[in-house]
Amino acid sequence: MQSITLVIAAVLACAYAQVSIPPGYDGRYPYAKTARHPRDLTWERNAGGGKVFGTLGGTDDSLYGRGGYKHDIFNDHRGRLEGQAYGSRVLSPYGDSSNLGGKLNWSNDNARLGADLQKQIGGRTGLTVTGEGSWKLDRNTRFSTGGNLHKTFGHSKPEFGLQGRIEHDF
């Protein structure tokens, strides 16, 4: 019994002492004890009735930046409609990428709908649409449904999903 307890304690001590190092990190930096945490700078400022936002940062092998503008188009009895335009750039030895996109998100008390159009520079354009809703049928019963659609323009077929359920509290 004592030896089993000792073995379990030794295994827990070894598991606790493990350090997470990304793959390939120890090959390039054999004397490093731990991986460096990514550093980034995030900011957000009011501008033109909306907000300008951005993030700049880097890891040991890449630099990245993301920025954009978001604005509430309306927020009243019709619900809330929010628009956003954004772009990002990643530089790394494994390849660079630039992305541009725009989002529209609408929501009210019962439902949400979102559309995101994104374009990779030198690549394809994609569209993602999501929606969900929940309505009370009576005091103890709710009907919930949702779905999504993703289409990369070109020769690919769209991917979609639907879900629905009825919940009743007894």
Side-chain angles (χ1 to χ4, degrees):
M1 180 68 175
Q2 217 173 18
S3 61
I4 293 173
T5 307
L6 185 61
V7 169
I8 291 173
V11 168
L12 287 175
C14 289
Y16 185 75
Q18 293 291 325
V19 176
S20 175
I21 296 179
Y25 190 88
D26 54 348
R28 288 181 288 162
Y29 307 102
Y31 301 109
K33 298 291 183 200
T34 59
R36 189 173 74 188
H37 295 287
R39 295 179 293 267
D40 61 351
L41 169 70
T42 302
W43 50 272
E44 189 173 282
R45 302 277 187 268
N46 293 331
K51 293 188 181 218
V52 176
F53 62 90
T55 301
L56 296 172
T59 60
D60 286 339
D61 56 358
S62 67
L63 296 172
Y64 57 88
R66 183 174 195 268
Y69 179 75
K70 58 185 170 182
H71 184 78
D72 278 345
I73 298 169
F74 62 79
N75 189 1
D76 54 17
H77 66 281
R78 300 172 287 184
R80 179 179 182 194
L81 180 63
E82 180 183 52
Q84 180 178 351
Y86 61 88
S88 67
R89 177 80 171 145
V90 177
L91 302 172
S92 78
Y94 309 112
D96 304 340
S97 68
S98 297
N99 296 300
L100 298 173
K103 291 182 184 181
L104 279 177
N105 293 316
W106 174 82
S107 63
N108 68 8
D109 294 337
N110 297 328
R112 285 187 282 189
L113 179 66
D116 185 6
L117 182 66
Q118 63 272 357
K119 167 71 175 158
Q120 182 174 4
I121 305 300
R124 298 192 183 242
T125 301
L127 174 67
T128 303
V129 178
T130 59
E132 61 185 56
S134 180
W135 296 271
K136 288 189 174 195
L137 299 177
D138 64 17
R139 191 174 67 132
N140 295 328
T141 308
R142 290 173 304 286
F143 173 67
S144 301
T145 185
N148 59 10
L149 170 72
H150 177 74
K151 171 70 174 154
T152 302
F153 297 106
H155 299 290
S156 67
K157 294 182 180 179
E159 301 170 9
F160 63 92
L162 295 172
Q163 175 182 334
R165 77 176 161 215
I166 296 176
E167 297 175 354
H168 182 76
D169 298 330
F170 292 99

